[in-house]
Amino acid sequence: MRNQTVKAAVLVAGALLLAACGTNKEETGAGGGNQACDQSKGTLVIGVIAPQSGGLSALGLGIKNSAQLAADQANEKCAVKGYKLAVQTEDDQATAQVGAQAATRLSSNANVVGVVGTLNSSVAQSVQPILKGKNIVMVSPANTNPSLTRGAEYGTAPKRGFENYFRVCATDDLQGPFAAKYLVGKAGKKNIAIITDGKTYGKGLAAEFQKQAEKDGAKIAAQGTVGEKDTDFAGVIGTIKGSNPDAVYYGGEYPQAGPLSKQMKDAGLNIPVMGGDGIYDDKFIDLGGKEGDLATSVGAPTDTLPSAKAFVDAYNAKNYKDKFSAYGAFSYDATNAIIASLGKTLGDAGTWGDDKRADLIKNVGEYSAQGATGEIKFDQYGDSTNKLLTVYKVTAGKWAADETGTFGG
Amino acid sequence: MATLLQQLVNGLVLGGLIALIALGYTMVYGIIQLINFAHGEVFMVGGFASLATYSYVLPDSWKSDWWVALPLMAIGGALVAVILSVIVERFAYRPLRNAPRLAPLITALGVSVVLKEAVRLWYPGATAPVPFPRVFVDKQFTLEVFGGTVTIGSTALLMIAVSIIGAIALQTYITKSRMGRAMRATAQDPDTARLMGVNPNRTIVLTFVIGAALAGIAGVLYGIQITNVDTEVGFLYGIFAFTAAVLGGVGSIKGAVIGGFAIGIVKTLSGQYMWGGTQYDLVWIFVILIAVLVFRPQGLFGEPERVRA
């Protein structure tokens, strides 16, 4: 009996490990109604798929609120004649499988015109085909993995996989090399260790970084991988410590990167950690990011860009509980791209239906406007034509912009 | 060589934490044969409760001196963990005392989900990892050995020390004290123990209290070592500790401690030297667990199955 209980418990524990699952929360934001507009034809929904809980929720909540802001403004301006716009947010918990459920739920609703999201490239991989099946346009504020638009052979033989998919941010094949130029060229680091979280985004970004860093004459001293749920990084720090690196490039996100930076210092490795847009959040510093740590992020700094000021002011005026974070402005632009294209598709008297979806995708492809993050326009693969990137550095406990530019090979 | 030593040290630190949690698993199992899956969550709640003690209870002037703040945080964390554990025992486990064994096991899983979601929903900011202050001497000791360096932090030393002292104190209490004898008697045969004047319910509650207090202290130590707490850690470390308890032999205190240290060291060494590196280090823990269960189902220090009349 005793052994049976232990055996049963072992089995249950194993099953739990395999399927560490959570719950889905559904939130439907109501748009601010302006009775002056004609909204007689009903409500159209813009879906948002982003993490609303878990480690990456700071980024996901910023995406949700900014999309809500864009929809509210559109309702006030009667941007879509005859319809009221609403935002429906689905929590993907930063996992591909939950993201697929969210996409399925949204695509079963005929009133969903388009989707803003996802945050994670790995989630986008599972969401793309589901939305494509229903011809729903998807504009990501934050996916930076290049293969999402240009296929697995993006470097040599780019091929567009999903004509319904667009994104408003620059990709990792620019971001990684941009970081390498800075770290090797400007900061003079020649013996760099690379740590990744093994996910689509982190691995892809680190690989692009490595290519350029080696080209620029740096040595990759060691490589390591951390587990997604790990909180104690002493093991992986031990594996890189022996090679005496002078910097660590981290491919992944801030919930791991912040504690990693702190624990490196504890382990006697007081060297800067550099990462991509996934660690560019204030939470990184709260969780242990130290002075001198670096991050690249897409676009120019939101607070300094003149085109972003209107967005920042409007966001702050709404008194959202959460900050707009790294992707708020991108989410705002992505939502506006969908709304403006929807207005164009329906015209003054159009009625929404599945037959309008192809037109909507075409109109998003041709969309061009000045957004909060600069010019918003898409190339033939659905990538943003805006290739601006910025290096940020932790200075006096805050991220401060250090260098803005484009990667020129 | 220096790397090996460093990883051994890392393993001991992780192992100390696992051992502290595993003690609670093993004691509760020893006395009522229940695998208390909610125990990992009690550890997590202890971490959050000690953080709440620091953030909302302690006056600012007390926070700078660790010898004031840390014990109070440990008391706060342990107290909340103990109260919680007593409530869970009273309302979730006691009604099932005579039910088939699977019923309390599933109940424990349910309690674990409830606790995790409750903290996630009610603790401010707990939907994401919450930063934890390092309320202790923040100092690193670096030793030059074999042409390399081995670094160990003061919080890490504290972790190892507390886990070993905790285990020795517990072992002494159980073998020497009157209540400890009552515990062993209840574990052996609750009915006969009752005939001898032992109150089984009181003894069982005390077992939960001791386990929860240790888990609460483990929560504080985890916080100052890792410098953040997350609602997810209860599950992860709960599984580690459960594995440690099974590896050492459920019911055995010595086994839980040695199992904990073994798992910590296996994890760090396999991350360094085995195929797959740190990405697959968890795999090796379970490989060892399965191997032990195949050849020694009662665990390293467990007693073989007794058939009860």
Side-chain angles (χ1 to χ4, degrees):
Chain A
M1 205 44 205
R2 182 182 186 136
N3 283 332
Q4 268 168 9
T5 316
V6 173
K7 267 182 211 153
V10 170
L11 276 178
V12 172
L16 277 174
L17 260 185
L18 282 174
C21 54
T23 51
N24 291 322
K25 273 150 288 312
E26 203 167 314
E27 247 177 89
T28 310
N34 181 341
Q35 295 314 312
C37 291
D38 169 27
Q39 299 180 333
S40 57
K41 290 183 194 166
T43 303
L44 293 181
V45 176
I46 293 172
V48 172
I49 304 180
Q52 306 296 304
S53 60
L56 291 172
S57 55
L59 298 174
L61 290 164
I63 289 175
K64 177 190 95 171
N65 292 339
S66 304
Q68 184 69 53
L69 174 66
D72 289 353
Q73 289 181 344
N75 282 333
E76 282 160 25
K77 287 187 298 201
C78 314
V80 181
K81 301 278 184 306
Y83 288 100
K84 181 171 182 267
L85 291 176
V87 170
Q88 181 178 341
T89 307
E90 298 285 340
D91 184 2
D92 64 19
Q93 299 170 11
T95 48
Q97 174 252 338
V98 184
Q101 288 173 11
T104 309
R105 198 169 321 139
L106 286 172
S107 63
S108 65
N109 180 349
N111 288 329
V112 170
V113 290
V115 169
V116 175
T118 60
L119 172 68
N120 304 75
S121 297
S122 49
V123 181
Q125 281 177 326
S126 69
V127 167
Q128 277 180 326
I130 295 169
L131 294 182
K132 192 193 175 195
K134 292 277 182 104
N135 229 4
I136 298 173
V137 69
M138 168 178 184
V139 184
S140 169
N143 298 152
T144 51
N145 190 287
S147 65
L148 293 174
T149 44
R150 280 168 281 153
E153 312 271 297
Y154 58 84
T156 47
K159 188 175 156 292
R160 185 161 192 189
F162 299 92
E163 60 271 16
N164 63 324
Y165 178 85
F166 301 88
R167 61 174 139 206
V168 293
C169 52
T171 49
D172 293 337
D173 54 336
L174 304 170
Q175 192 179 178
F178 187 70
K181 284 243 154 189
Y182 182 94
L183 196 60
V184 181
K186 196 168 171 188
K189 306 292 185 191
K190 299 289 183 203
N191 198 35
I192 301 166
I194 294 182
I195 300 178
T196 79
D197 62 1
K199 295 200 283 184
T200 310
Y201 162 74
K203 256 169 82 175
L205 181 63
E208 295 294 342
F209 170 87
Q210 183 176 354
K211 269 189 254 170
Q212 185 67 32
E214 283 174 339
K215 211 155 82 186
D216 290 353
K219 191 173 146 254
I220 303 304
Q223 304 241 20
T225 312
V226 300
E228 200 182 335
K229 301 232 152 152
D230 253 3
T231 53
D232 181 355
F233 303 113
V236 73
I237 293 166
T239 62
I240 63 165
K241 197 182 165 195
S243 56
N244 290 317
D246 54 10
V248 165
Y249 189 78
Y250 180 74
E253 287 129 358
Y254 63 82
Q256 287 79 36
L260 176 72
S261 176
K262 173 112 181 172
Q263 289 174 30
M264 273 168 50
K265 196 177 158 196
D266 288 349
L269 256 186
N270 200 358
I271 56 176
V273 172
M274 184 173 202
D277 51 329
I279 77 166
Y280 173 59
D281 191 277
D282 291 343
K283 270 259 167 196
F284 170 77
I285 301 165
D286 291 347
L287 292 175
K290 58 186 182 296
E291 288 294 296
D293 283 351
L294 299 155
T296 51
S297 193
V298 285
T302 310
D303 324 39
T304 60
L305 214 62
S307 57
K309 192 165 181 321
F311 161 74
V312 175
D313 289 348
Y315 191 98
N316 291 338
K318 287 267 182 187
N319 286 325
Y320 291 115
K321 212 168 79 211
D322 333 278
K323 291 182 208 152
F324 55 83
S325 292
Y327 296 109
F330 290 95
S331 167
Y332 179 76
D333 286 350
T335 314
N336 277 330
I338 294 178
I339 293 171
S341 309
L342 178 65
K344 192 174 157 198
T345 309
L346 294 180
D348 282 340
T351 307
W352 175 253
D354 280 346
D355 54 323
K356 295 285 196 299
R357 294 198 185 276
D359 286 346
L360 178 58
I361 290 172
K362 190 169 135 282
N363 284 332
V364 172
E366 291 166 0
Y367 175 79
S368 167
Q370 198 62 34
T373 58
E375 195 194 24
I376 302 299
K377 215 178 144 187
F378 305 102
D379 66 11
Q380 72 265 36
Y381 303 109
D383 276 331
S384 170
T385 55
N386 183 353
K387 311 280 191 208
L388 220 51
L389 290 157
T390 305
V391 173
Y392 297 86
K393 191 178 199 168
V394 180
T395 317
K398 269 201 162 78
W399 286 112
D402 198 77
E403 187 180 283
T404 298
T406 52
F407 173 70
Chain B
M1 201 55 199
T3 307
L4 175 69
L5 272 177
Q6 178 74 64
Q7 294 290 29
L8 278 174
V9 167
N10 293 342
L12 283 177
V13 177
L14 179 64
L17 180 68
I18 295 173
L20 269 182
I21 310 169
L23 286 172
Y25 267 102
T26 218
M27 286 182 61
V28 167
Y29 184 86
I31 198 154
I32 51 171
Q33 282 77 48
L34 163 70
I35 304 281
N36 182 12
F37 268 116
H39 192 62
E41 257 53 51
V42 171
F43 152 72
M44 180 270 294
V45 168
F48 273 97
S50 61
L51 179 61
T53 312
Y54 179 87
S55 312
Y56 305 119
V57 180
L58 291 186
D60 280 339
S61 54
W62 293 14
K63 289 180 184 173
S64 49
D65 301 323
W66 68 264
W67 62 88
V68 182
L70 191 60
L72 288 174
M73 285 166 74
I75 290 169
L79 197 65
V80 173
V82 163
I83 293 171
L84 188 69
S85 219
V86 169
I87 294 174
V88 167
E89 195 277 331
R90 178 65 191 81
F91 292 103
Y93 300 149
R94 195 179 296 182
L96 297 173
R97 191 67 47 78
N98 295 316
R101 291 235 191 118
L102 213 48
L105 184 71
I106 301 298
T107 308
L109 284 173
V111 169
S112 134
V113 173
V114 168
L115 293 182
K116 184 171 125 184
E117 291 297 310
V119 173
R120 203 173 71 120
L121 291 174
W122 295 109
Y123 196 90
T127 50
V130 185
F132 199 102
R134 181 162 276 179
V135 196
F136 192 58
V137 192
D138 196 357
K139 193 166 165 22
Q140 270 67 44
F141 305 96
T142 302
L143 304 170
E144 298 274 345
V145 278
F146 306 111
T149 58
V150 174
T151 308
I152 182 163
S154 45
T155 50
L157 286 172
L158 182 70
M159 181 102 85
I160 299 176
V162 169
S163 62
I164 292 175
I165 293 170
I168 292 174
L170 191 58
Q171 181 75 30
T172 317
Y173 181 73
I174 286 183
T175 46
K176 299 279 192 301
S177 79
R178 200 179 147 78
M179 245 355 250
R181 198 181 315 140
M183 278 179 179
R184 283 179 291 139
T186 312
Q188 272 179 10
D189 192 333
D191 295 327
T192 313
R194 182 161 37 225
L195 292 175
M196 301 296 146
V198 175
N199 180 342
N201 275 337
R202 230 180 78 200
T203 317
I204 290 167
V205 169
L206 183 72
T207 314
F208 272 89
V209 164
I210 294 175
L214 290 171
I217 291 167
V220 187
L221 293 174
Y222 174 87
I224 60 171
Q225 163 76 2
I226 305 290
T227 67
N228 68 66
V229 274
D230 186 0
T231 50
E232 302 281 329
V233 300
F235 177 72
L236 185 68
Y237 282 85
I239 291 289
F240 283 161
F242 162 66
T243 312
V246 173
L247 188 64
V250 256
S252 156
I253 289 181
K254 190 167 68 174
V257 174
I258 291 178
F261 283 118
I263 282 180
I265 289 170
V266 166
K267 183 173 188 291
T268 51
L269 288 189
S270 60
Q272 174 77 36
Y273 297 108
M274 296 300 260
W275 173 81
T278 44
Q279 196 171 16
Y280 294 113
D281 52 7
L282 297 184
V283 172
W284 301 107
I285 294 178
F286 292 99
V287 168
I288 302 257
L289 175 70
I290 290 166
V292 168
L293 287 185
V294 165
F295 294 107
R296 214 182 141 77
Q298 71 270 36
L300 295 175
F301 299 94
E303 290 162 30
E305 174 76 344
R306 275 191 313 270
V307 181
R308 239 179 230 158

